[in-house]
């Protein structure tokens, strides 16, 4: 009993859960069809019960009427044509054929005096209505025979009334099912029409999600209902988001311009500080000279950091440095020559063929320098670093690869973000090197990607820039 109750509860929960997963229009249409089913079932049961009772009552009345008419017309006596006693009038077969009835005239001791052809046993003589052998039988007193009473048995097949009742119930069932189907279809049509404003709001929301543009407007329904209230609420929310985004963009733009201006202004005092520190480092000796040298090295790192920030700030603020034809091969050779003295035990190999792009030479020099420094900084001593420039299919490809340990997978997706540093990275790194590479490549209409080196270990950075003459097309 407990298991059965648990099974019923589980089935009910599963049914309710499946119902909740249906679309709203199907739930509305299904609820309408279910309500229609309940109403039509109640109506069909009431009509079917009353109609069936009425059909059976009419059938019984017909049996009684047929028996009464036969009682009034039946004559029994000697038939000259056959030469024996029998029912003289009316002709029983002719009389019974119209209603498909069965007739017998039975004596009081059960002897059948006359009957219709193929008339079955209609039971013992009795009084009133009775059922026997598939017939509804009405018994009435017949004409006396030599002073002995007789009984008229008039019966009609119950199959006729059963067939009629079944047809009534079949028609009612068809009407109930047809009505439910029509209610379902009508409910779906009405629900679709009612949900059309919601579908339009959903389409507008998806378009806003795709474009990320809160300035777009959502359609406003004409009716003043809950859907219209939802549309007005969404409209107000989008307007607030658009205003917040505009305010945020304005604030960020002011910050970018401030950083760019501040970085630019810092270059002049830093240049003065570096000049004074270089003079002091040359003139001072001993401990004072070491202090001046340390300050000079820190100031040089600061100048480079300020330069990096200025480059990124200009890129964020949309300030484009004038571009001119620049040979990336020459830039690579110059950057390799600049970094070779600090390469240590690394083996730096350069392969470059002339490849001209429209670009800012200083920014391209910084891009190449950062890629080579990144390779040297993250590979052990004795590792080979290879840099190459080539022109192919209207593009200039700059590649820098090494034989080091490579970039961890968890860092590869974020390696071009700002201030991202790997584990064990040297303290001299600001985490802006590869971010600058990415920014310079984008400002020149190109891209940068990272993959495993051809040797199977290490990292390979590839910068793709449009060749001169391709960028204007």
């Amino acid at each position: 009993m407990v298991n059965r109750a648990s099974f019923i509860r589980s089935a009910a929960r599963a049914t309710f859960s499946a119902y909740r997963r249906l679309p709203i229009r199907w739930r509305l249409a299904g609820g309408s069809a279910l309500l229609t089913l309940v109403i039509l079932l109640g109506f069909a049961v009431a009509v079917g019960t009353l109609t069936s009772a009425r059909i059976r009552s009419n059938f019984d009345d017909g049996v009684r009427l047929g028996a009464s008419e036969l009682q009034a017309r039946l004559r029994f006596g000697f038939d000259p044509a056959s030469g024996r006693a029998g029912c003289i009038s009316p002709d029983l077969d002719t009389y019974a054929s119209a209603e498909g009835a069965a007739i017998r005239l039975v004596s009081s001791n059960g002897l059948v005096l006359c009957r219709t052809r193929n008339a079955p046993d209609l039971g013992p003589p009795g009084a009133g209505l009775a059922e026997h052998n598939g017939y509804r039988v009405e018994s009435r007193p017949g004409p006396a025979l030599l002073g002995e009473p007789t009984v008229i048995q008039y019966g009609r097949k119950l199959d006729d009334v059963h067939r009629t009742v079944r047809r009534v119930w079949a028609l009612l069932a068809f009407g109930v099912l047809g009505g439910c189907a029509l209610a379902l279809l009508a409910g779906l049509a009405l629900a679709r029409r009612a949900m059309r404003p919601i579908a339009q709001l959903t389409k507008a929301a998806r378009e806003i999600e795709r474009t990320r543009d809160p300035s777009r407007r959502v359609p406003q329904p004409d009716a003043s209902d809950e859907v219209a209230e939802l549309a007005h609420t969404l409209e107000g929310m989008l307007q607030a988001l658009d205003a917040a985004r505009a305010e945020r963009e304005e604030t960020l733009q002011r910050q970018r311009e401030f950083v760019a201006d501040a970085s630019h202004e810092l270059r002049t005092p830093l240049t003065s500080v570096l000049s004074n520190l270089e003079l002091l480092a040359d003139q001072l000796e001993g401990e004072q000279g070491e202090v001046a040298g340390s300050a000079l090295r820190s100031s040089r790192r600061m100048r480079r950091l300020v330069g990096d920030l200025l480059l990124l700030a200009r890129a964020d603020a949309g300030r484009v440095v004038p571009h001119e034809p620049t040979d990336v091969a020459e830039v690579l050779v110059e950057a390799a020559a600049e970094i070779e003295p600090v390469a240590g035990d690394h083996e730096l190999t350069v392969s470059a063929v002339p490849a001209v792009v429209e670009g800012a030479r200083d920014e391209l020099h910084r891009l190449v320098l950062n890629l080579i420094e990144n390779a040297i900084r993250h590979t052990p001593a004795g590792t080979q670093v290879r840099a190459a420039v080539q022109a192919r299919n209207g593009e200039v490809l700059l590649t820098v690869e090494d034989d080091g340990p490579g970039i961890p997978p968890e860092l590869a997706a974020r390696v071009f973000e700002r201030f991202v540093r790997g584990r064990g990275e040297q303290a001299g790194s600001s985490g802006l090197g590869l971010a600058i590479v990415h920014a310079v490549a984008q400002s020149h209409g190109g891209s940068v990607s990272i993959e495993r080196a051809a040797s199977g270990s290490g990292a390979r950075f590839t910068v793709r820039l449009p060749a001169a003459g391709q960028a204007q097309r």
Side-chain angles (χ1 to χ4, degrees):
M1 194 70 174
V2 175
N3 292 335
R4 183 178 180 182
S6 177
F7 173 77
I8 293 175
R9 286 195 298 270
S10 300
R13 284 195 297 266
T15 303
F16 182 70
S17 178
Y19 173 77
R20 294 186 63 183
R21 288 195 296 268
L22 288 174
I24 294 179
R25 61 178 180 272
W26 278 99
R27 279 189 272 173
L28 291 175
S32 174
L34 182 61
L35 180 60
T36 304
L37 175 64
V38 173
I39 295 173
L40 290 181
L41 276 178
F43 179 77
V45 169
V47 171
T49 302
L50 294 175
T51 304
S52 299
R54 186 63 179 172
I55 290 172
R56 291 188 175 92
S57 176
N58 289 340
F59 182 79
D60 292 345
D61 291 343
V63 172
R64 292 190 187 96
L65 180 61
S68 297
E69 290 180 355
L70 180 61
Q71 182 184 20
R73 296 176 57 185
L74 184 63
R75 297 292 181 269
F76 185 85
F78 182 77
D79 185 5
S82 61
R84 58 186 180 85
C87 295
I88 300 174
S89 67
D91 183 70
L92 296 183
D93 291 321
T94 304
Y95 183 85
S97 62
E99 301 294 337
I103 301 173
R104 294 198 315 170
L105 180 63
V106 186
S107 65
S108 58
N109 58 5
L111 178 65
V112 178
L113 301 175
C114 55
R115 65 175 183 175
T116 56
R117 287 192 299 269
N118 302 321
D121 180 16
L122 297 180
L129 284 173
E131 290 186 13
H132 187 78
N133 205 16
Y135 280 80
R136 189 71 164 165
V137 181
E138 173 74 8
S139 298
R140 295 290 177 88
L145 179 60
L146 301 177
E148 293 292 330
T150 61
V151 177
I152 300 173
Q153 291 183 312
Y154 181 88
R156 289 175 59 183
K157 289 184 178 180
L158 288 170
D159 287 345
D160 296 337
V161 70
H162 292 334
R163 190 180 303 111
T164 303
V165 170
R166 284 196 297 267
R167 282 199 296 266
V168 169
W169 283 108
L171 288 174
L172 289 174
F174 178 77
V176 169
L177 295 178
C180 290
L182 290 177
L184 180 62
L185 294 177
L188 283 174
L190 291 176
R192 184 184 296 274
R193 185 177 182 85
M195 295 296 293
R196 189 175 300 166
I198 300 294
Q200 293 176 349
L201 291 177
T202 303
K203 182 179 179 181
R206 286 177 178 169
E207 186 65 18
I208 293 172
E209 178 188 13
R210 185 184 65 83
T211 60
R212 296 189 176 183
D213 182 11
S215 63
R216 289 176 173 266
R217 295 295 173 254
V218 296
Q220 300 294 320
D222 297 331
S224 298
D225 52 11
E226 292 79 0
V227 178
E229 184 179 357
L230 174 61
H232 293 322
T233 303
L234 289 176
E235 182 73 16
M237 180 189 69
L238 289 174
Q239 290 178 358
L241 289 175
D242 189 27
R245 187 187 68 166
E247 182 179 351
R248 183 192 62 187
E249 289 295 332
E250 183 179 357
T251 302
L252 290 176
Q253 184 64 24
R254 287 199 300 266
Q255 290 178 351
R256 295 187 189 107
E257 293 177 353
F258 170 77
V259 172
D261 294 337
S263 300
H264 180 73
E265 294 298 328
L266 282 174
R267 299 182 71 180
T268 300
L270 276 176
T271 302
S272 176
V273 170
L274 284 171
S275 299
N276 293 329
L277 287 175
E278 288 174 354
L279 180 61
L280 288 174
D282 291 339
Q283 293 182 353
L284 297 177
E285 297 180 354
E287 185 177 350
Q288 293 181 342
E290 292 178 0
V291 172
S294 176
L296 178 61
R297 289 190 295 273
S298 298
S299 298
R300 285 172 177 168
R301 285 197 298 272
M302 184 182 297
R303 180 178 63 178
R304 179 161 184 177
L305 179 59
V306 169
D308 292 343
L309 291 174
L310 176 60
L311 192 153
L312 292 174
R314 282 175 175 172
D316 291 339
R319 300 181 182 179
V320 180
V321 178
H323 290 184
E324 58 185 16
T326 304
D327 188 353
V328 181
E330 294 180 0
V331 174
L332 174 60
V333 172
E334 292 174 0
E338 179 180 341
I339 205 170
E340 187 174 8
V342 295
D345 296 330
H346 290 81
E347 182 181 350
L348 180 60
T349 303
V350 174
S351 174
V353 296
V356 180
V357 301
E358 293 289 337
R361 191 179 187 90
D362 290 342
E363 292 184 359
L364 292 174
H365 182 86
R366 181 67 58 82
L367 179 148
V368 176
L369 197 65
N370 285 358
L371 284 177
I372 299 176
E373 283 185 345
N374 181 75
I376 292 175
R377 183 181 299 115
H378 294 89
T379 55
T383 304
Q384 187 178 21
V385 177
R386 297 174 294 279
V389 172
Q390 58 178 321
R392 186 173 62 192
N393 298 329
E395 287 185 331
V396 174
L397 272 64
L398 167 66
T399 59
V400 177
E401 62 178 329
D402 58 68
D403 297 332
I407 297 179
E410 66 274 9
L411 190 61
R414 302 174 51 246
V415 72
F416 294 109
E417 297 179 8
R418 300 175 187 184
F419 303 106
V420 173
R421 300 173 61 181
R423 294 190 300 269
E425 190 166 329
Q426 299 177 14
S429 171
S430 63
L432 293 176
L434 294 180
I436 290 175
V437 171
H438 183 263
V440 173
Q442 282 195 328
S443 67
H444 285 72
S447 63
V448 57
S449 59
I450 181 174
E451 56 191 12
R452 185 174 293 277
S455 60
S457 63
R460 175 189 178 94
F461 289 87
T462 302
V463 178
R464 291 178 170 82
L465 302 173
Q470 299 291 327
Q472 290 81 10
R473 295 182 182 179

